[in-house]
Amino acid sequence: MSKYTTLYQHGTLALLVPGLLSGTLTMGDLLKHGDTGIGTGEGLDGELIILDGKPYQVDSDGNVNEVSNSFNMPFANSHFAKYSPLAELEDVSQDYFEEQIISLTHASNTFFSVKVTGSFSNVKTRAVKKSVPPFQTLAETAKNQSIFTRDHVEGTLISYYSPKLFDGAAVGGCHNHFLSDDHTFGGHLLDFHLDKGDVSYQLFDTLEQHLPIDNKAYMDHDFSKDNITDDIHNAEG
Amino acid sequence: MSKYTTLYQHGTLALLVPGLLSGTLTMGDLLKHGDTGIGTGEGLDGELIILDGKPYQVDSDGNVNEVSNSFNMPFANSHFAKYSPLAELEDVSQDYFEEQIISLTHASNTFFSVKVTGSFSNVKTRAVKKSVPPFQTLAETAKNQSIFTRDHVEGTLISYYSPKLFDGAAVGGCHNHFLSDDHTFGGHLLDFHLDKGDVSYQLFDTLEQHLPIDNKAYMDHDFSKDNITDDIHNAEG
């Protein structure tokens, strides 16, 4: 397993659906598996982005906070960055982003990451408010989300693409988080329009899928009654 | 990632469905990820089982062959064995095996392996005949299978359990291969009745899913039209 061709994932999107929102991995441990990543905190505590080894959280007040090594997460991705240039893109909206990326990478049957740095004419993000036990379902918890918009912002988009076959474990398709260069704005991307940006990519041949087997609630849960893929795409789309 | 808590998987069951049967990993490379495993050869060339670091193939004539390091596979699992005793079971048929194992391990939400050594009153296996390019679909290729039965046989069963969420990538539920102690009989298990056996198990917290990203046919394939889970369970059930 090569360091630069492995995507690490802790937890699954599926476990968020019924509200298994306990933190089961620390940021310190996540950083052992990469210097770049995305995730969410215990109780869906904000939206995380890791850039150059530094983790940031966008909370539901819209603040961008540095994240300590003891911060706990139910779900996260990370990898060691070694991006290659893919394209310089202009005038692309989120609706066409995935299509263009797939067309350029020709890699829809494997996992990969895309990084975009540039100028965005409009960015719309969300961050969920942290909930406390007893946790509700993903659909209920995600209702307590804040939506933020900003025009004319310079920043970095980190995207992880997963093949449709892994929908449920991951988000099939692109999962995009954002952080502005001035570290005052970011979150889970709901919509954006890229004016001009440098797009780079990194293909993975390996998904290292880690599961929280020491968490009793996870091991005890009966997933057969959860409407996993619909709920994920409603909440994460 | 701990050596003994990781299940390695090369390829997916899904890629076999449309007939992406080229060998994309050598046995030598598979053995770097484990001393115990199962798999199939290029063109569905027989059924593989690895015990104590030694790989065996049951071919469609029913012969048990040793496998060279250069042997190529489209799909395989391996792990480093460190099984713990689970139970001594008597008088169990395949229909109740998975249910009993789940009840004993309480681990249906993670990957694990089960090893059974003992006396079987009846064992029914199959091995597919190797096909050559241009490969047909899994359903077509698997029609050229031989079915073998043996009564009163001592042997070893290796099972890999995958959570239903990963159905398609793996076989959701148990995937069982068999080899007799005298190395004259084995294959993919279709049915069995265990008289008496020692059952041991090994839990994994990590799936290391490796994909054949250097295989053009794999990367080019449009999986959206394949009826993946139905075809897998018809062929692998």
Side-chain angles (χ1 to χ4, degrees):
Chain A
M1 191 169 65
S2 160
K3 178 175 174 181
Y4 296 111
T5 59
T6 297
L7 170 62
Y8 178 79
Q9 178 164 297
H10 172 73
T12 62
L13 261 295
L15 65 78
L16 302 181
V17 168
L20 295 164
L21 306 182
S22 295
T24 45
L25 186 81
T26 65
M27 182 55 78
D29 281 334
L30 180 63
L31 292 171
K32 291 176 186 164
H33 300 278
D35 54 25
T36 303
I38 64 174
T40 186
E42 173 160 293
L44 303 186
D45 184 13
E47 303 285 344
L48 307 172
I49 187 166
I50 308 170
L51 296 174
D52 299 325
K54 292 192 107 176
Y56 303 92
Q57 176 209 39
V58 180
D59 67 25
S60 62
D61 294 326
N63 297 315
V64 179
N65 309 306
E66 292 190 20
V67 178
S68 74
N69 277 343
S70 61
F71 186 86
N72 263 308
M73 298 160 288
F75 179 83
N77 286 113
S78 71
H79 79 285
F80 289 100
K82 197 176 178 182
Y83 289 94
S84 301
L86 182 65
E88 190 174 279
L89 290 183
E90 291 187 32
D91 202 21
V92 181
S93 64
Q94 172 152 309
D95 289 347
Y96 295 97
F97 176 71
E98 184 170 325
E99 198 178 294
Q100 282 212 276
I101 294 301
I102 292 291
S103 161
L104 288 162
T105 59
H106 192 67
S108 62
N109 291 336
T110 195
F111 298 87
F112 62 86
S113 180
V114 165
K115 183 176 183 173
V116 183
T117 54
S119 306
F120 295 76
S121 59
N122 186 266
V123 177
K124 182 179 176 185
T125 65
R126 73 97 193 275
V128 178
K129 186 173 164 61
K130 181 179 184 174
S131 66
V132 294
F135 296 121
Q136 306 294 306
T137 63
L138 176 64
E140 282 300 314
T141 308
K143 283 180 185 169
N144 288 316
Q145 67 175 15
S146 303
I147 291 178
F148 310 104
T149 58
R150 191 168 287 192
D151 295 338
H152 307 299
V153 54
E154 309 270 319
T156 299
L157 181 165
I158 295 290
S159 179
Y160 286 103
Y161 173 89
S162 301
K164 295 287 182 287
L165 179 62
F166 293 88
D167 205 18
V171 181
C174 287
H175 185 174
N176 307 327
H177 283 203
F178 183 82
L179 186 66
S180 68
D181 285 352
D182 62 7
H183 293 187
T184 63
F185 172 78
H188 176 100
L189 272 171
L190 294 178
D191 201 8
F192 65 85
H193 191 95
L194 174 70
D195 272 348
K196 188 172 179 178
D198 289 317
V199 183
S200 56
Y201 77 116
Q202 184 172 350
L203 291 190
F204 306 118
D205 65 10
T206 300
L207 171 71
E208 186 180 343
Q209 169 68 63
H210 182 252
L211 297 171
I213 70 168
D214 296 326
N215 182 265
K216 188 173 180 328
Y218 172 72
M219 293 299 272
D220 283 353
H221 185 73
D222 176 5
F223 283 94
S224 68
K225 304 202 168 45
D226 298 325
N227 192 357
I228 292 171
T229 50
D230 285 354
D231 281 7
I232 289 171
H233 286 275
N234 286 337
E236 299 292 328
Chain B
M1 192 169 64
S2 160
K3 178 175 174 181
Y4 296 111
T5 59
T6 298
L7 170 62
Y8 178 80
Q9 178 164 296
H10 173 74
T12 62
L13 260 295
L15 66 78
L16 302 181
V17 167
L20 295 163
L21 306 181
S22 295
T24 46
L25 185 81
T26 65
M27 181 56 77
D29 281 333
L30 180 64
L31 292 171
K32 291 175 187 165
H33 301 278
D35 53 25
T36 302
I38 63 175
T40 185
E42 174 161 292
L44 302 186
D45 185 12
E47 304 285 344
L48 307 172
I49 187 166
I50 306 171
L51 295 174
D52 300 324
K54 292 192 106 175
Y56 303 92
Q57 176 208 40
V58 180
D59 67 26
S60 61
D61 294 327
N63 297 315
V64 179
N65 310 305
E66 292 189 20
V67 178
S68 75
N69 276 346
S70 61
F71 186 85
N72 263 308
M73 298 160 289
F75 179 83
N77 286 113
S78 70
H79 79 284
F80 289 101
K82 196 175 178 182
Y83 289 94
S84 301
L86 181 66
E88 190 173 277
L89 290 182
E90 291 187 32
D91 202 21
V92 180
S93 64
Q94 172 152 308
D95 289 347
Y96 295 97
F97 176 72
E98 185 169 325
E99 197 177 294
Q100 282 214 275
I101 293 302
I102 291 292
S103 161
L104 288 163
T105 59
H106 192 66
S108 62
N109 291 337
T110 196
F111 297 88
F112 62 86
S113 179
V114 165
K115 183 175 183 174
V116 183
T117 53
S119 305
F120 295 76
S121 58
N122 186 267
V123 177
K124 182 179 177 183
T125 66
R126 73 98 193 276
V128 177
K129 186 173 163 63
K130 180 178 185 173
S131 67
V132 295
F135 296 121
Q136 306 294 306
T137 63
L138 176 65
E140 282 300 315
T141 308
K143 283 181 185 169
N144 288 316
Q145 68 175 15
S146 303
I147 290 176
F148 309 104
T149 58
R150 191 167 287 191
D151 296 337
H152 307 299
V153 54
E154 309 271 320
T156 299
L157 180 166
I158 295 289
S159 178
Y160 287 104
Y161 173 89
S162 301
K164 295 288 182 287
L165 179 62
F166 294 88
D167 205 19
V171 181
C174 287
H175 186 174
N176 307 327
H177 283 202
F178 184 83
L179 186 66
S180 68
D181 285 351
D182 63 7
H183 293 187
T184 63
F185 172 78
H188 176 99
L189 271 171
L190 295 178
D191 201 6
F192 66 84
H193 191 95
L194 175 69
D195 271 348
K196 188 173 178 177
D198 290 318
V199 182
S200 55
Y201 77 116
Q202 185 171 351
L203 291 190
F204 306 118
D205 65 10
T206 301
L207 172 71
E208 187 181 343
Q209 170 68 64
H210 182 252
L211 297 170
I213 71 168
D214 296 326
N215 183 265
K216 188 174 182 321
Y218 172 72
M219 292 298 273
D220 284 352
H221 186 72
D222 176 6
F223 283 94
S224 68
K225 302 197 171 48
D226 297 326
N227 190 357
I228 290 171
T229 50
D230 285 354
D231 281 8
I232 288 170
H233 286 275
N234 287 336
E236 299 291 328

